[in-house]
Amino acid sequence: MFSKETYVNRRKQLKNKINSGLVLILGNNDSPMNYKSNTYHFRQDSTFLYFFGIDLQGLAAIIDIDNNEDILFGDDYTIDDTIWMGPQTSMQEKAALSGINRTEPFAKLSTTVSEAISKKRLVHFTPPYRGENIMLLADLLNIHHREVEKQSSLELTKACIDLRSIKEPCEIEEMERQMTTAYKMHTTAMKMARPGIPEQEITGVLEGVSMSGGGMISFPVICSVRGETLHNHYHGNMLKKGDLLLVDAGSESQLHYATDHTRTTPVTGKFSETQRKVYQIVLEANDRAREATKPGVAYRDVHLLACKVITSGLKEMGLMKGNIDEAVAAGAHALFMPHGLGHMIGLDVHDMEDYDDTLVGYDEEVERSTQFGLAALRLGRRLQPGFTITNEPGVYFIPALIDNWKAANKFTEFINYEKLEEFKGFGGIRLEDDLLVTEEGCRILGKRIPITVEEVEQIAGTGV
Ligand code: GLY
Ligand code: MN
Ligand code: MN
């Protein structure tokens, strides 16, 4: 945990942002895999971690805005629990680590919430995402479970986004520490990228490196020679000569801060001439986007800059044509990069997405587009010092999308479909770094994972 002052201060700031009522924050519980006592790896709720830091099951908390009081609800472990789980700290001890004096049995949560409702006090909660907590909220509020999400508090959600968007020095230190593990994960994958190695084997090693380095993976590993499928979780291919291996993987720190990087490695150790050309385009987009990342700049504009770099490169290769600005304004480049440049990262790999990604990434000034490609951009608003974000341009040749657009004669003034036929087996390239927005501009978190053609070719397939 961070210092208890960290949590006390966060709750104090939250109280200043909420007018009145109770803030109800539910922790997560174990979720069964196949029978009740055989559970998935426990992951505490990120909002609970942010305000309380206690990484355990069976907890809920109330921040009483009107009475300036914080209450932790949960039950002390019994002797039976101790037999199976070993010695445990008391509720009072846990609460003290978070700077809370008052604890109550979990069963008291229901009466506390009912009393508040009967007095017409507001009960604020953020949109729940787990079935068990939706059911619990339905019971506590005495409403149908389908009504729960509608009653979540926009006031609380916006306040949480305001606080969590700007990372504190202790959070940046925690993230930066985990970058060593991220570096090891990706350089290991690059070294393992040799013909005859199954994707599954590399995926397993990556999960192990993450776990050895402090925590579980921050999202399911993408490790595929079919990198054109953006979130490819199939690991059944064998690496072969000429393939490009795309690895998008991240690790959670002990306090559950995420890393998220992508590298693309030639399986034979050297890029072919065509692979190198496309790779350089993506690298140029990554570098130019980072150079443009600074406070006051809307990330949507940085995204569009990266798209222009990609369009310009593809035009040079004869795959696109026409005016670059017009092509990007029309969204023609999205055939090659259908996703956004990046997202916030922190306690969640897509930080705060349980709240609503549009609320996190957009505001009154920068509204979310509905255009294919740009609509997938999760962060569009102006950047501020203390934001931690990803920079992840890519170029993909997705046969089904190419065929779909070609059949519809889409953007024929910008796309050379004839030449594109040769690229249908190419795959995809994505290059992703994690950035901290500083007062002056931004910097890459951690040591940069090998990324230039020379660096990648030097490490590719060298073995571990
Ligand atoms: N790992 C998913 C992403 O890069 O956003
Ligand atoms: Mn990623
Ligand atoms: Mn990402």
Side-chain angles (χ1 to χ4, degrees), residues 219 222 231 248 260 262 343 349-350 392 430 432:
F219 59 93
I222 297 161
H231 279 180
D248 183 350
D260 180 14
T262 311
H343 48 85
V349 62
H350 286 187
E392 51 180 305
R430 176 161 67 252
E432 177 174 23

Side-chain angles (χ1 to χ4, degrees), residues 210-228:
S210 177
M211 194 57 95
S212 309
M216 61 181 191
I217 47 173
S218 51
F219 59 93
V221 169
I222 297 161
C223 172
S224 181
V225 293
R226 297 270 46 96
E228 74 275 17

Side-chain angles (χ1 to χ4, degrees), residues 153-196:
S153 163
L154 189 61
E155 187 184 4
L156 173 64
T157 302
K158 284 186 167 173
C160 291
I161 293 170
D162 273 0
L163 290 174
R164 286 177 56 186
S165 293
I166 311 280
K167 270 49 181 189
E168 300 159 38
C170 63
E171 294 180 286
I172 295 163
E173 276 169 31
E174 175 75 8
M175 289 178 77
E176 194 114 45
R177 251 195 308 277
Q178 199 60 15
M179 295 296 158
T180 312
T181 300
Y183 187 95
K184 193 164 173 201
M185 284 170 80
H186 282 275
T187 49
T188 301
M190 292 163 122
K191 289 176 190 171
M192 288 181 76
R194 279 183 181 162

Side-chain angles (χ1 to χ4, degrees), residues 188-381:
T188 301
M190 292 163 122
K191 289 176 190 171
M192 288 181 76
R194 279 183 181 162
I197 303 284
E199 292 166 347
Q200 186 71 29
E201 187 174 327
I202 302 175
T203 304
V205 171
L206 290 178
E207 293 210 11
V209 173
S210 177
M211 194 57 95
S212 309
M216 61 181 191
I217 47 173
S218 51
F219 59 93
V221 169
I222 297 161
C223 172
S224 181
V225 293
R226 297 270 46 96
E228 74 275 17
T229 300
L230 301 182
H231 279 180
N232 198 338
H233 294 141
Y234 175 75
H235 301 133
N237 296 305
M238 184 80 87
L239 274 56
K240 60 179 191 328
K241 203 165 164 241
D243 281 341
L244 286 172
L245 178 71
L246 186 151
V247 174
D248 183 350
S251 180
E252 274 198 357
S253 73
Q254 282 185 349
L255 299 186
H256 299 288
Y257 285 80
T259 74
D260 180 14
H261 296 85
T262 311
R263 289 295 184 265
T264 310
T265 308
V267 171
T268 29
K270 293 268 175 279
F271 291 102
S272 72
E273 194 56 25
T274 310
Q275 286 171 342
R276 193 179 52 74
K277 277 187 191 159
V278 179
Y279 189 94
Q280 291 284 23
I281 293 170
V282 181
L283 180 56
E284 171 85 359
N286 175 301
D287 284 333
R288 294 274 302 280
R290 188 184 64 259
E291 285 156 19
T293 295
K294 50 170 88 73
V297 172
Y299 209 48
R300 182 183 56 192
D301 292 337
V302 184
H303 168 93
L304 291 171
L305 170 70
C307 295
K308 284 178 192 170
V309 172
I310 285 169
T311 304
S312 162
L314 293 176
K315 187 175 166 184
E316 240 168 73
M317 288 184 71
L319 293 167
M320 291 191 76
K321 55 191 176 174
N323 181 286
I324 292 166
D325 290 347
E326 285 171 17
V328 171
H333 64 283
L335 176 61
F336 305 97
M337 181 172 147
H339 63 72
L341 182 66
H343 48 85
M344 289 210 166
I345 179 167
L347 275 168
D348 310 295
V349 62
H350 286 187
D351 210 20
M352 303 176 273
E353 236 173 63
D354 54 324
Y355 298 157
D356 177 326
D357 59 351
T358 303
L359 279 177
V360 173
Y362 292 86
D363 55 19
E364 296 73 25
E365 185 203 353
V366 185
E367 285 182 18
R368 195 165 192 157
S369 167
T370 53
Q371 185 188 70
F372 177 75
L374 192 51
L377 176 64
R378 297 178 142 88
L379 175 63
R381 65 184 165 118

